[in-house]
Amino acid sequence: EVQLVESGGGVVQPGGSLRLSCAASELTFSDSGMSWLRQAPGKGPEWVSAVGTGGSTYYADSVKGRFTISRENSANTVYLQMHSLQPGDTALYYCARGRFRWDLWGQGTQVTVSS
């Protein structure tokens, strides 16, 4: 069974940084675009960023310039480096397979930005 497992969430002060990781148990990982989405309390899921199979990257306007997505195919892992975090970034962050349509989601990792 294919699985996506996120890690790296935590509590950070405003202006801080975190790096999220998503490990995929799939030998064809390199053939899949991958995304990060987030869901804040009381809100619907919000797409954050995506990386294509060739390494092209895409960002929501709300995180552009602060977040960086990358992938390491040899490790079946996708990362989300987050800088200048703000309270509005507080959410459950999900890794998902696909660039703009997602057919597999992880369980999520919580990011809380609070002083």
Side-chain angles (χ1 to χ4, degrees):
E1 180 181 351
V2 178
Q3 290 185 323
L4 301 174
V5 180
E6 302 95 335
S7 61
V11 180
V12 63
Q13 293 187 341
S17 299
L18 282 174
R19 188 176 83 153
L20 307 183
S21 299
C22 170
S25 61
E26 179 185 358
L27 294 179
T28 58
F29 173 81
S30 61
D31 294 339
S32 301
M34 299 295 295
S35 293
W36 287 96
L37 301 97
R38 65 186 181 186
Q39 187 166 16
K43 296 185 178 181
E46 175 192 14
W47 173 79
V48 174
S49 182
V51 58
T53 56
S56 298
T57 57
Y58 310 86
Y59 298 95
D61 288 344
S62 58
V63 306
K64 200 172 294 182
R66 300 188 298 124
F67 291 10
T68 302
I69 191 170
S70 61
R71 64 189 300 158
E72 185 176 352
N73 289 340
S74 62
N76 283 4
T77 302
V78 60
Y79 304 98
L80 186 68
Q81 178 68 55
M82 306 184 294
H83 295 298
S84 302
L85 285 162
Q86 299 302 318
D89 295 315
T90 294
L92 187 62
Y93 282 71
Y94 296 94
C95 170
R97 184 171 63 186
R99 281 197 303 164
F100 306 113
R101 295 181 180 179
W102 313 285
D103 62 354
L104 180 69
W105 295 61
Q107 293 298 308
T109 184
Q110 179 68 38
V111 172
T112 301
V113 185
S114 174
S115 55

